[in-house]
Amino acid sequence: MDIKITKTTSPKAKPEGKLGFGKVFTDHMFVMNYTEGKGWHDARIVPYEKITLDPSAMVFHYGQEMFEGLKAYRGADGKARLFRPDMNAKRTNATNKRLCIPQLPEEDFVEAVRAVVEVDQDWIPTEDGTSLYIRPFIIATDEFLGVAPSKTYLFIIILSPSGAYYESGLAPVGIWIEDDYVRAVRGGMGFAKTGGNYAASLAAQVKAHDDGYSQVLWLDGVERKYIEEVGAMNIFFKIDGKIVTPMLNGSILPGITRNSVIEVCKSWGYEVEERKISVEELIDAQKSGKLEECFGTGTAAVISPVGKLRYKDDVMIINGNEIGEVSQKLYDTITGIQWGKVEDTFGWTMDVNK
Ligand code: PLP
Ligand code: COI
């Protein structure tokens, strides 16, 4: 893939002070078109700008779109690194298949991410806990109101220097187990990273926020009995010494942080179970003192300790609303690998500069 690079002539000022999440964007973006019969073409890095679309563009009407999320980190040694971008490339194609969006060669996805981050590498923040959040996305652009897969698409990557996803930072969050709305069912789009899943989550999220909780924990869409995942994270429990997480069943996102946490925990000798977990099991484990820790995992959220879980009239306080030992160790190890402070024995990082 040949990428044409046009640099901005008016670079923006870099943000100062505490970085939030996803509010500031860098000087450049990657853009590539898809046209049926021609394939992906015109890969380019251009100054960050607004895009113009016809009001009839299909993405606005039927939601044919996908997105990804990954980060670039400025290492203690000054090197810029990506974390497992090949996994985002694979997940992109799994999402694309479900959404009838054309496949994107994995090596092109990774190269596009690397190249645009390389151009804007001065935007990778250096303060502790910060990174450059990378948001690749694809939208359907045919000007047509019929319900059918589009024949043209735009693949865009934007970059956002970011701090902690939750305003509380690494402090434990409160999570609302939703017993009314559901997010996804098997056979639906739950495993795909597409806007519709997030649109479906908003009503419950608003309800949870109004009650003082950070995010929603979804139950399965059929029986509303089994734990699925959180709004922007997968979920893990430490129950009686074992690490337990819902298995991938088609309705939850196969998180890259989830996969990394499973591998790290196994390498430490923990027994890791990927299986169905009912909400009753959690309540019982809590009552018998066996629910030792709970944490969410995600690119934006990293490792996020959960101190409080609400289900109907039950409020479970986990580990005294303190960061658990395993949560802290995982946070230190995974961010350590990402920031080049801990040896990357898994081969998960990739240098931005060739
Ligand atoms: N589940 C949902 C619904 C998400 O939005 C995310 C965030 O990307 C995750 C899980 C975690 O996935 P990953 O670890 O790949 O970021
Ligand atoms: C990520 O962690 O990359 C995500 O995509 C979460 C996002 C929905 C904010």
Side-chain angles (χ1 to χ4, degrees), residues 91 183 193 198 229 231-234 253 255-257 297-299:
R91 192 168 63 189
R183 172 185 179 271
K193 210 155 165 65
Y198 298 80
E229 64 179 326
M233 317 188 285
N234 293 110
L253 195 79
I256 294 160
T257 321
T297 66
T299 298

Side-chain angles (χ1 to χ4, degrees), residues 18-21 71 128-130 162-175 214-215 233 294-307 321-323 327-328 331 335 339:
K18 195 164 168 252
L19 286 168
F21 175 81
K71 284 173 170 175
D128 239 19
T130 62
S162 293
Y165 183 66
Y166 295 110
E167 284 180 8
S168 54
L170 187 63
V173 291
I175 300 280
S214 300
Q215 272 200 34
M233 317 188 285
C294 174
F295 54 91
T297 66
T299 298
V302 199
I303 304 292
S304 189
V306 175
N321 201 27
E322 300 283 337
I323 302 174
S327 313
Q328 182 71 54
Y331 179 86
T335 60
W339 279 301

Side-chain angles (χ1 to χ4, degrees), residues 12 22-30 45 48 70-72 82 112-121 123-124 131-137 156-162:
K12 294 181 274 199
K23 293 182 188 157
V24 178
F25 302 96
T26 65
D27 281 326
H28 298 89
M29 61 190 199
F30 174 90
I45 290 169
Y48 189 94
L70 67 162
K71 284 173 170 175
L82 299 170
V113 167
R114 192 205 63 76
V116 70
V117 173
E118 186 174 40
V119 168
D120 274 342
Q121 59 183 299
W123 283 84
I124 306 174
S131 55
L132 185 67
Y133 186 75
I134 306 167
R135 171 52 59 85
F137 63 102
I156 301 177
I157 305 172
I158 56 174
L159 309 170
S160 176
S162 293

